[in-house]
Amino acid sequence: MSSILTDHQKMYSNGRWVEAISGQYIEVMNPATGEVIGSVPAGDRPDAAAAIDAADKAFKPWAGKTPQERSDYLYKTYEKLVERADEIAAILTAEQGKPLQEAKGEVLFAAEYFRWYSEEAKRVYGETIPAPTPAKRLMVIRQPIGVVVAITPWNFPALMIARKIAPALAAGCPIVLKPAELTPLTAIAIFQIFEEVGFPAGVANLVTGVGSVLGPEFLENIKVKKITFTGSTAVGKYLLKGSADQMKKVSLELGGHAPFIVFDDADIDAAVEACIISKFRNAGQTCICSNRIFIQDPILGLFSEKLAEQVKKLKMGNGSAEGVDVGPLIDERALNKVHEHVQDAVAKGAKLVTGGSKWKADSLDGSFYLPTILRDVDDSMLICHEETFGPVAPLISFSTEEEVLEKANNSNYGLASYVFTNDLGRAFRVSEGLESGMVGVNDPLPTVAQSLFIGWKESGVGYEGGKYGMDQYLEMKYISMLLNG
Ligand code: NAP
């Protein structure tokens, strides 16, 4: 597996490692060093079509396996992911940049989805319904939807794959994965595990390449019954519109702009620690990371001081180095966007508490941005509306519950929100009043394999995780039976 970081890699289609038909390939860079660390095939529409054909042929036999058989494949995948967590984490850090410990945490979390869905595979229950006449029997059963295309982003190269593929396979659907162009190597490591586990040919296929090239094949190929996507809202809208022609089923996990609300009755030290986790893990490149940090007036000064104290201790550097807390941003474009948000805020009156510039170490040619805190942020600034996707904490003051709910809900996004308070009534009122799919109450890390992941408004369509995640790969069927005599 370690050779993934030195050799050219192939993609996986119909149980074989293959090159793109065109012979073209894409280079993969390390965002911390700017070095090329590998290459993968640049798949085109015919490559995607071949993988979809293979998945289509594999559908009936895979769906026909017993739930226990499918469960066993998933459980073996879980075991191997745990066994190889260190190796895969090194690959993930090299192509994505996050610190090694975070990368290992991500791989183990991805493994959890395989374990959870290995169990859930056995619980695809139907229902019987009391009939209006003694001569009838009514029932609803659930059946796998068919070939699933999964399209994933670069910020969680292992986790986003697992959250889609594990429930799809558990439900009896074969999959074709298109990982992000910037982080295909982690996907290759996971598919090496699928090969070792011995999934039948065509059940799990990997097509590497450029999204805008492959997208039309996924949308127009009639054999694709479902597209599950995690990524930007703009691409999500394109896929939703494009799926309409064939009425393909679609799940979309999209961008976010999470409010992080701290009331003056909260445990301030715990809220500061939570803010560091929510804002600076993965260098702020998570869809659920806090993007607007609302602090109640009486504690604004104290919170800002304590946060600055902690932020200044964060160590920047190559994620593969010991003790690094904040790695690089994914690329130069991301770096420029973050700086633009900071400059725009400062130009409109925000005060820089710490950070506020790009960062260069002598030995590293990567895209680093200093962990940053801004005060006196208001609604007129870009940072209050667009995803920053970087290590910038904008502090906004508020005085009342009503005011902060109105400000927090003033967004087209509705993915995650966070509330910090020790008042139980307030915790309920604010959680229920927030227009978002997920709320962490005194909890900066609400996501678990066992529960729901869902975005409201322009943050998504459908959902993932827990028992709910299986629904997305199953169709319900109603059977009405008229008995003889
Ligand atoms: P992106 O640009 O939308 O890309 C996501 C995936 O879609 C990549 O594999 C990309 O391929 C592919 N793609 C791009 N254009 C396509 C097209 N026309 N047809 C089909 N596929 C296409 O997003 P990103 O920059 O990688 O990821 C960051 C975004 O993801 C942020 O907005 C973040 O909030 C969101 N996100 C959401 C969640 C969630 O669960 N809600 C989780 C993580 C991230 P290429 O790489 O080849 O462009």
Side-chain angles (χ1 to χ4, degrees):
M1 200 168 269
S2 50
S3 65
I4 287 181
L5 290 178
T6 47
D7 300 341
H8 168 72
Q9 298 300 314
K10 294 180 179 172
M11 52 194 182
Y12 196 67
S13 186
N14 202 19
R16 289 182 311 117
W17 292 98
V18 297
E19 293 290 0
I21 295 166
S22 68
Q24 301 289 308
Y25 61 90
I26 300 170
E27 288 183 333
V28 183
M29 309 267 288
N30 180 329
T33 62
E35 288 163 5
V36 173
I37 51 168
S39 59
V40 297
D44 207 331
R45 289 189 65 160
D47 303 292
I52 293 164
D53 277 347
D56 188 51
K57 286 201 185 77
F59 173 44
K60 287 229 163 75
W62 180 246
K65 288 204 181 288
T66 64
Q68 183 62 57
E69 284 171 323
R70 287 198 299 273
S71 166
D72 290 344
Y73 286 100
L74 291 176
Y75 195 80
K76 282 184 203 149
T77 305
Y78 155 72
E79 287 181 315
K80 285 193 180 288
L81 279 167
V82 171
E83 208 178 287
R84 306 275 183 84
D86 285 316
E87 283 171 79
I88 303 177
I91 294 165
L92 200 161
T93 291
E95 68 176 350
Q96 199 274 342
K98 70 181 63 173
L100 209 46
Q101 272 311 103
E102 260 185 66
K104 185 167 176 188
E106 182 185 336
V107 176
L108 293 174
F109 192 11
E112 276 308 314
Y113 280 90
F114 282 93
R115 177 156 69 160
W116 169 267
Y117 284 107
S118 75
E119 292 155 356
E120 205 59 15
K122 295 173 273 184
R123 298 187 190 119
V124 180
Y125 300 134
E127 217 169 3
T128 56
I129 296 164
T133 134
K136 280 196 170 192
R137 297 292 181 273
L138 313 181
M139 66 201 89
V140 172
I141 61 168
R142 299 198 294 160
Q143 294 179 300
I145 213 164
V147 173
V148 171
V149 163
I151 305 175
T152 51
W154 51 263
N155 62 343
F156 287 94
L159 183 61
M160 296 301 113
I161 293 177
R163 208 157 70 191
K164 295 178 182 314
I165 290 186
L169 293 175
C173 300
I175 55 100
V176 175
L177 171 72
K178 203 308 268 178
E181 195 182 325
L182 299 171
T183 57
L185 302 179
T186 304
I188 285 167
I190 293 173
F191 272 71
Q192 287 183 354
I193 286 178
F194 288 157
E195 186 187 29
E196 280 176 34
V197 163
F199 279 94
V203 168
N205 306 276
L206 169 68
V207 179
T208 51
V210 176
S212 55
V213 171
L214 296 164
E217 184 63 34
F218 298 147
L219 290 171
E220 290 166 27
N221 193 315
I222 192 74
K223 292 176 181 164
V224 175
K225 301 299 180 216
K226 160 100 195 187
I227 297 182
T228 172
F229 169 80
T230 296
S232 62
T233 295
V235 176
K237 286 180 179 176
Y238 159 80
L239 293 171
L240 187 59
K241 285 181 192 153
S243 296
D245 274 349
Q246 295 175 4
M247 287 291 172
K248 287 190 202 299
K249 305 286 186 260
V250 187
S251 303
L252 306 170
E253 296 291 345
L254 309 175
H257 208 282
F260 184 102
I261 304 169
V262 186
F263 286 97
D264 60 4
D265 62 70
D267 175 337
I268 297 190
D269 290 328
V272 166
E273 198 183 316
C275 187
I276 295 282
I277 295 169
S278 168
K279 182 68 253 184
F280 295 98
R281 97 188 146 104
N282 202 7
Q285 302 171 110
T286 78
C287 53
I288 60 165
C289 75
S290 42
N291 219 114
R292 290 166 294 153
I293 299 165
F294 295 101
I295 311 294
Q296 204 163 17
D297 295 326
I299 56 164
L300 179 64
L302 186 59
F303 186 92
S304 170
E305 271 168 40
K306 284 179 179 265
L307 185 67
E309 209 177 288
Q310 296 305 319
V311 166
K312 285 175 189 161
K313 288 186 199 157
L314 294 174
K315 187 175 164 197
M316 287 210 85
N318 188 335
S320 63
E322 192 65 30
V324 165
D325 301 300
V326 181
L329 296 176
I330 190 70
D331 59 17
E332 196 71 21
R333 198 164 57 117
L335 185 64
N336 291 335
K337 180 181 180 187
V338 171
H339 195 46
E340 186 197 339
H341 276 197
V342 171
Q343 285 183 313
D344 170 79
V346 170
K348 290 175 180 158
K351 287 195 190 63
L352 206 51
V353 178
T354 183
S357 61
K358 297 177 186 180
W359 179 82
K360 275 269 176 267
D362 293 344
S363 55
L364 297 171
D365 196 19
S367 35
F368 293 91
Y369 201 82
L370 279 176
T372 298
I373 302 174
L374 293 167
R375 263 184 79 162
D376 300 343
V377 170
D378 68 44
D379 230 24
S380 69
M381 302 167 189
L382 276 180
I383 206 161
C384 277
H385 303 283
E386 291 180 12
E387 264 187 308
T388 306
F389 243 53
V392 183
L395 306 187
I396 306 163
S397 67
F398 73 92
S399 55
T400 66
E401 253 177 65
E402 295 70 29
E403 179 198 349
V404 77
L405 270 177
E406 197 183 319
K407 283 182 170 171
N409 289 337
N410 182 22
S411 172
N412 292 337
Y413 293 113
L415 193 58
S417 302
Y418 305 89
V419 187
F420 290 78
T421 177
N422 279 323
D423 176 333
L424 196 55
R426 174 174 269 168
F428 271 107
R429 279 192 305 276
V430 177
S431 307
E432 290 166 5
L434 282 163
E435 294 170 2
S436 68
M438 297 171 283
V439 182
V441 179
N442 299 324
D443 181 2
L445 292 170
T447 316
V448 290
Q450 292 78 0
S451 193
L452 181 65
F453 194 98
I454 182 169
W456 286 14
K457 303 200 256 187
E458 293 193 18
S459 289
V461 169
Y463 39 79
E464 296 185 324
K467 67 173 185 174
Y468 314 99
M470 290 286 280
D471 292 348
Q472 303 287 303
Y473 303 99
L474 295 164
E475 287 275 32
M476 287 198 285
K477 183 180 280 175
Y478 165 53
I479 300 174
S480 168
M481 200 179 287
L482 183 59
L483 306 182
N484 291 329

